[in-house]
Structures are given as structure tokens and as C-alpha cells.
Amino acid sequence: MTEKIRNFVITAHIDHGKSTLADRFLELTETVAKRDFRSQFLDQMDLERERGITIKMQPVRMDYRGKRDGNYLLNLIDTPGHVDFSYEVSRSLAAVEGAILLVDVTQGIQAQTLANLHLAKKQGLKIIGAVNKVDLAFDKDFLFELKQKIAELIGATPEEVLEVSAKTGKGVGGLLEAAVEKIPPPQGNVSGKLRALVFDSSYDPYKGVIAYVRVVDGKIKKNELLKFFATSASTEALEVGVFRPKLSPTGALETGEIGYVATGIKDPSLVRVGDTVFSKIDETTKPLPGYQEPQPVVFVNFYPEDSNKFEVLEVGLKKLKLNDASLYFIKERQEILGQGFRLGFLGTLHLEIVKERLRREYELDPVVTIPTVRYQAVLKTSLSGQADEVVDIFSPNDLPTPDKLLELREPWVSGEIIVPNNYISGVLNLIQFNRGLAGNVSNISEKNVLLNFSMPLSEIILDFYDKLKSVSQGYASLSYQVSDWRKGELVKLDILVAGEKIEAFSRIVPKEKSYSLGKLTIEKLKEILPREVFAVPIQAACGGNIIARVTMPALKKKLGDFGKNGGDRTRKMKLWKKQKEGKQRLAQFGKVNLPPSVFFEVFKATK
Ligand code: GDP
Ligand code: MG
């Protein structure tokens, strides 16, 4: 019986009120007792509460008494609003039939509104439009225009776009009723062979990996033997249940239902988001479409601030990965910084979150290198007519030497920016400065324009978003996705201190920016490196040529008086020896006590 089930998501640009609306739904359906209530109930991570963003979606089942015809089972999935997590958004969309598209009346349609709408449409979801925050002062004409625009985008009439205040609860009951009425019940073959979509997972030390599933056909019962298609892992369903929003066992999940299966599996990599679960005994069933590995796009290295913390760092990362399948890491050794990890992230917010969680949960403050993207090196092949060999480059130090390198390719993104008219020229300049190409500009409302653009991913991941916000006084919004590979005029920039290359500072940069970035780096280093008793040259180099150089002056120290008979050999020897020790100390400074701050400051200064 799927007729009384409704599965839906709330989708919106960040801060337009998804989590707050979900709270009202929980209240209205009495899913969470009033006394247990804290706002943004579904944002369970402390970090989410503090930052007010949703990182991890949290499904919830609600019982709802329909105005016209009895009891319904509602499954709501709250989705992350940030670009970095669009893979999670797309998986949650695959698990439902409908979406509430929420737009803040004081902000209007933003880049993420469109990006999420696009995903929801692609998934064939029934979309219900709503304007939120109508308790705030707003322009009546703007509201009218906004409702028309939303209606146009989702294929409805302006009257069908509802006005709500998630904060006060105004209109929320009507919205929920509309969702029940308009969103179709799940389809599926109730008596068919089991097929369920894994749309998320978490980890429990006793129950192992908890797979969050949407049953598409058939049913899952406790103790049943299950098989995961992509990984061929098989297991027994230790526990089966639903989200209230706490896990509550039900013994079975029927066609159309959303719930969880405790798998007992200890290795999280065996349960992948997007994979299909079916019955072990029947392996002829076809998997559900759309499985995709989450693709890390931003890479950095983490080194423990202190080499004896390496194990703690490893444990911390492994634990974080249990609940964050998209986190990727492998061990990586580096000359000065020692043993560490190379990590891959979905974006820079994802990186920041992991860094912050390590700090809070494990008291770790690792040295983090400059974020980079994956490049492709096309190698010269010795035999003519042979296909070009392409290798992935994750770190500048893996680059083949110029004699072997035919060309370097870098990933590009295509994206959309929504911005008020009067900031458009600033935005265009910023795009150009970041090697981007501006495309079409069209009006999205009386005030706002929609701009299409493309740009190298490496330019976007540093602080493009912050800069975009600042040239538009906070008004611009951005969405993008990785689109293709293009040849780049790229070079490797190295930094040498006292003649020695500091690998952690090496990076792949656009040729046109190599000089300015090199100069910026060495000047920053001159400012922050502790002085030595002798002068230290700091150099920037490209392909073996020094392109910029500064000298960090020596500490002014009294060396005693050997000016008069400057030929005093023993004194001179002593001085040299001291200088040599000094030089060793500098290296030591790198090996043992390299303060993370030096790296942070350089990275910050040279973004
Ligand atoms: P999300 O990022 O879409 O999940 O948005 P949140 O639910 O976290 O809301 C973002 C901010 O808007 C929070 O400070 C909410 O308190 C506020 N907010 C949400 N809905 C309303 C509303 O209807 N009226 C007003 N005045 N504020 C709201
Ligand atoms: Mg939220």
C-alpha cells in the first residue's frame, strides 16, 4: 500500500529557511515532543547549528492526518544547500517524488534555487513553490513578481505558489496539505523483487554501517540476506526501521518507504551512496540507475602539527570518513613536513568542515597546504602515431619534467551567477581576472540578472566566492559544476629558502600569475620567518629559473671584534661554524618545529 505515502524534500538556496520549515513540520505533525524541541532539529551536528548550514541530510518520518482523507505517512528529507554538497542533494532527490521549492521573499531567486530546481526537474519530481519569510517587511510588487517567476519556473500558476513564514508558522499547515495533495504516491512493484536505493549512510560502533534506503520494489525484512550491487558486499539485515528522527526499528520496510538498515558491516566503503540493495538469493535483479562515485575536486595535504600526532590524525580521518563517504585520503610523505595525508574534498567548504571537526573532536590543528585541483599531464610519446598518455597530477611535485610533458590540462567549471544589475561590471571584471569567460546575461527579475560563465576550477576554489560576495556587497549568488578539461598555460612555481626547495610551497600556477604569486610568497616569507644570524635568500623559481628573490637580513648580533685584524682565522672559523649551525637550525625549524602558522599565513597571503 503506497497510496498514503508521500516522500519529499525541501530545496532552497542557503538560508532561505529549509531547516526552519522542517522544524514547523515536525511540530505540526507532533513528531517531536515540544519539550524535546530545539530549533533546526534536523541539523544534528554542532557545527551545523553554529554555522546555520545543513551538511548532512537527516530524513524524518511523520504521521499526518490529512484534512480530507485520513492518515498519511510522510517522509521528509532535508537537503544541504551549499554547492559543495550537490551530490548529496541529487541522491536525496532520487529517493523522493516531490520537492518544496522555498524562496526567501527578501532575497528572491538565487543561484542555488535554480541549481536545485534544475536537479529536481531532471529527477521528474512534482515541485511545489513557496515564498518564505512573509512575516518580514517586503515589497508587495516584488512578491507579486516573485510568485510569477516561480510559477513560470515550475510550471504552475502564481496562485499555486504559497506564502509562508517558517518562523511564525503562518501558512505552513496549508503548505503541508498542498504537498500531500499534489505530490504523487511512490510507484513500485509491491510484490516484486527487492530493490532499494542507498541515499546516505552513517556509522554505529555496534550496528556497523547504517544504510539509509528508499525501497523502490518489494520489501526489506529484518534478518534477510542482502546484497549491495556496486561493491558485491553481502550481509544480513540486523535491524530495519524508520527515522523518527531517531532510529526506530519496525522490522520491515515496504515498497515506497524510506528508512534504514543496520548492516553490521564494519567497512564503510562497502556501502556506497547511490548503490542498489537487493536480495542476496536473487542476483538477476537490475540495479537502479544513477549510481555515481562522489568526485573530489579539491585536494590538499594535511600534516600533523607534531609528528607524534600522526596516528591521532589517521584515526580522526578514518572516523570522520565513517559518516562522510565523500571524504577521500591517502598517506603522503613530504620532505620537511614528514608523514601526512593527501585528502580530496567536494569543495572548500567541505575542506573547512573537516578541518574544523578535527580541531573540535580530536584537538588537531594540522598544517594544511594550498588547495589544488587535479591536473592532467599529457606525456610526449616516443613513437609517433601512438596515442597520448595522460596521467593525473594531484601534487605539483608529481609533475613530469618539461622534456616529457606535451601539455597540461585543467578542469573547468560552468556556472551561473545571479546578481543585481548595478554590480554586473564588477562581477565581469572579477571573472576576467580569474581567467574566466563570461557568457549570456539575462534578466531574472526587475533588479537581478543571471550571468552564465565558465572558469578554471582552480580559480574558483580559492576565494572566488568571497571575492564575488565582496564586489556585490553580499548580493551575488553562485552555482557551478565541473564541466570539461582544457589546456592551460600552467607552470610549476617553486620556493627556495637558503637555497633549498621547500616542496610544500610548490604549486602549479597560471604562467601569467607566476611572477606576482612568486613575489607575494617570498615577501610574505621574509616578513614571517624567524631571522637567522646570517642573511637568508628567499627565491621563487619557475622551471629552474629564479624569477624573484628577496633577502631576509641577518639578525643584528654582536660578533665580537675581529675587524682590526680581520684575518683571525679561529674566530672566522667559529663564525662559519655558527652560521652552519644556524643553517641546520633553519632546516630543523622545518623538520621539527615548523609552526603551522607560517604555512597558513603564506597560503592566505597568496590565494
Ligand atoms: P536553511 O539554510 O535553508 O536551512 O535556512 P534556515 O532554516 O537555517 O534559516 C536561515 C535563517 O532564516 C535563520 O536565521 C532562520 O531563523 C531564518 N528564517 C527562516 N524562516 C524564516 C521566516 O519565515 N521568517 C523569518 N523572519 N526568518 C526566518
Ligand atoms: Mg538548513
Side-chain angles (χ1 to χ4, degrees), residues 8 23 61 94 136 162 173 233 310 354 380 395 410 505 508:
F8 64 103
D23 282 357
R61 172 193 287 224
L136 295 173
L162 301 172
F310 175 76
V354 168
K380 284 182 189 156
S395 150
E410 61 180 330
F505 286 133
I508 295 169

Side-chain angles (χ1 to χ4, degrees), residues 12-21 40 52 54 132-136 164-168:
H13 191 73
I14 191 160
D15 277 349
H16 283 202
K18 290 180 301 290
S19 301
T20 310
L21 181 64
Q40 279 147 36
T54 306
N132 189 29
K133 308 199 186 180
V134 295
D135 58 295
L136 295 173
V164 303
S165 166
K167 191 172 179 186
T168 66

Side-chain angles (χ1 to χ4, degrees), residues 13 43 121 148 229 241 281 344 376 414 438 445 447 527 538 549 595:
H13 191 73
D43 290 346
K121 274 187 167 169
Q148 264 186 329
F229 179 78
I281 30 180
Q376 285 182 343
S414 63
S445 71
K447 291 181 241 163
E527 186 190 314
I538 308 177
R549 174 196 167 105

